[in-house]
Amino acid sequence: MPSGTSETRDEHRDAAERGRPRYAYLGPAGTFTEAALRQIASPDGAVFLPQVDVVSAIEAVRTGAADHAVVAIESSVEGSVTAVLDTLATGDPLVLQGEMIVPVSFVLAARPGTGLSAVRRVAAHPHAWAQCRRWLLQNLPDGVHVPATSNTAPAAAMATGERELGFDAALVPPPAVEAYGLVPLADDVADNHHAVTRFVLVGRPGPVPPRTGADKTTLVVHLPSNQAGALLEMLEQFAARGVNLSRIESRPLGDSLGRYSFSIDVEGHVDDERVAEALMGLHRVCPHVRFLGSYPRVDTPHGDVRPGTYDADFLAARAWVQALRDGRAH
């Protein structure tokens, strides 16, 4: 009887989840990633699938275990999340379909009965530790970092009641304190109180979202050669067409030393004439260009469109060349 009851519950759960979009994210519940996910989906209308790391979240989309993934891609303090960049750069193609920004600060939390003076070992995700390094040095100068797989993994571990944890307290997101029955030892822990993390929505390739006028396009590009000037040749494809880059960084290809690909965010949409022309230029001169999507951006573009690079300018120039071919212009 109990077994049958459990099976019936599972069937009801599966039926309730059927047809709802499935989102993989870095768990367990209460992470900043979940906060980003909740900006675009509600647990009432979607299935949230917590994962142990960002690579597992992305791979869940590739295998079909999830329809989408939400992962951190860039911190205003620590820079890009290289595991995400590298996972998106290889393997079956995936695309970015949107982005979210979440303000980041932490609470130093522990089990009830633990005081700040008793804290020697602090569990924290490496990015959390880096964003609180100066605060920890000032307030816990003898504190030892115990790496965690996510910002709420230590909170979940403390909630289990296990006696031996290997740490005394943890840096966790504020909502995790109450959710996991912890006590705050220090609030608003951060070196930079304006820190934010950018998250992206990852999905399988399909129709590109319509341009909004404030868009971003993400690419992975390999240099045309290993000769002097190869990087300039690649960058000229953007500069000549008035395309502004909001982020560019090199990542090792991994097959030998000294070989790199470039992860690039450009301001604009693939439907913008200047961006499309730049992509065609890259396709002509670079051995590998991976399009990771055009999607609405959540912040303000950093650069203005340069005169002569508006859509109308490209269309007028193309019409003039066609007129030359037809003998209608000189």
Side-chain angles (χ1 to χ4, degrees):
M1 188 71 175
S3 175
T5 302
S6 176
E7 289 175 4
T8 301
R9 264 194 236 106
D10 290 342
E11 289 173 0
H12 287 166
R13 183 193 63 203
D14 293 343
E17 292 181 353
R18 197 172 299 123
R20 295 160 63 193
R22 301 164 299 164
Y23 291 87
Y25 72 100
L26 177 64
T31 58
F32 292 114
T33 309
E34 187 188 23
L37 171 53
R38 285 174 178 267
Q39 292 184 19
I40 59 170
S42 164
D44 295 330
V47 180
F48 286 15
L49 302 173
Q51 306 294 314
V52 296
D53 54 45
V54 292
V55 174
S56 299
I58 295 171
E59 292 300 335
V61 181
R62 285 197 169 114
T63 63
D67 302 304
H68 303 279
V70 171
V71 291
I73 197 168
E74 185 180 12
S75 160
S76 63
V77 176
E78 281 296 287
S80 294
V81 181
T82 55
V84 170
L85 297 183
D86 295 345
T87 305
L88 292 172
T90 58
D92 293 340
L94 295 172
V95 292
L96 309 185
Q97 299 168 327
E99 65 177 8
M100 301 76 77
I101 288 180
V102 175
V104 174
S105 67
F106 297 89
V107 174
L108 182 68
R111 285 172 169 170
T114 303
L116 185 62
S117 61
V119 174
R120 294 292 180 271
R121 296 171 62 82
V122 179
H125 187 275
H127 276 226
W129 185 267
Q131 292 181 56
C132 304
R133 192 178 288 120
R134 287 198 303 274
W135 187 96
L136 290 162
L137 185 62
Q138 292 171 2
N139 295 275
L140 291 172
D142 298 323
V144 176
H145 179 206
V146 178
T149 56
S150 78
N151 289 315
T152 54
M158 285 189 281
T160 63
E162 293 181 17
R163 294 180 62 85
E164 297 299 328
L165 290 172
F167 57 89
D168 308 306
L171 292 172
V172 301
V177 177
E178 182 178 354
Y180 290 98
L182 306 178
V183 294
L185 304 181
D187 294 311
D188 198 22
V189 177
D191 293 343
N192 183 339
H193 294 282
H194 301 289
V196 297
T197 296
R198 181 167 70 99
F199 296 82
V200 289
L201 175 66
V202 180
R204 287 184 285 274
V208 177
R211 61 177 173 175
T212 66
D215 301 288
K216 183 179 293 181
T217 296
T218 300
L219 308 166
V220 175
V221 182
H222 293 187
L223 291 182
S225 70
N226 199 28
Q227 305 300 316
L231 178 58
L232 177 61
E233 185 178 3
M234 184 264 281
L235 294 176
E236 281 177 339
Q237 307 307 316
F238 300 107
R241 295 160 177 92
V243 176
N244 190 49
L245 308 186
S246 59
R247 181 185 62 85
I248 178 170
E249 54 193 292
S250 61
R251 295 296 305 148
L253 288 177
D255 54 0
S256 64
L257 292 174
R259 283 172 42 79
Y260 298 90
S261 68
F262 287 84
S263 178
I264 301 170
D265 287 342
V266 308
E267 295 186 350
H269 192 281
V270 67
D271 283 342
D272 294 333
E273 291 291 329
R274 64 185 180 279
V275 176
E277 291 272 357
L279 288 174
M280 285 188 279
L282 292 172
H283 190 269
R284 285 188 297 103
V285 303
C286 297
H288 176 78
V289 180
R290 173 169 283 205
F291 174 74
L292 287 178
S294 291
Y295 49 94
R297 62 184 301 156
V298 294
D299 57 343
T300 303
H302 299 297
D304 297 324
V305 178
R306 197 172 69 204
T309 64
Y310 288 90
D311 279 10
D313 299 316
F314 283 97
L315 294 173
R318 194 171 299 130
W320 175 69
V321 170
Q322 187 59 50
L324 292 176
R325 290 169 175 167
D326 295 342
R328 296 181 288 106
H330 301 285

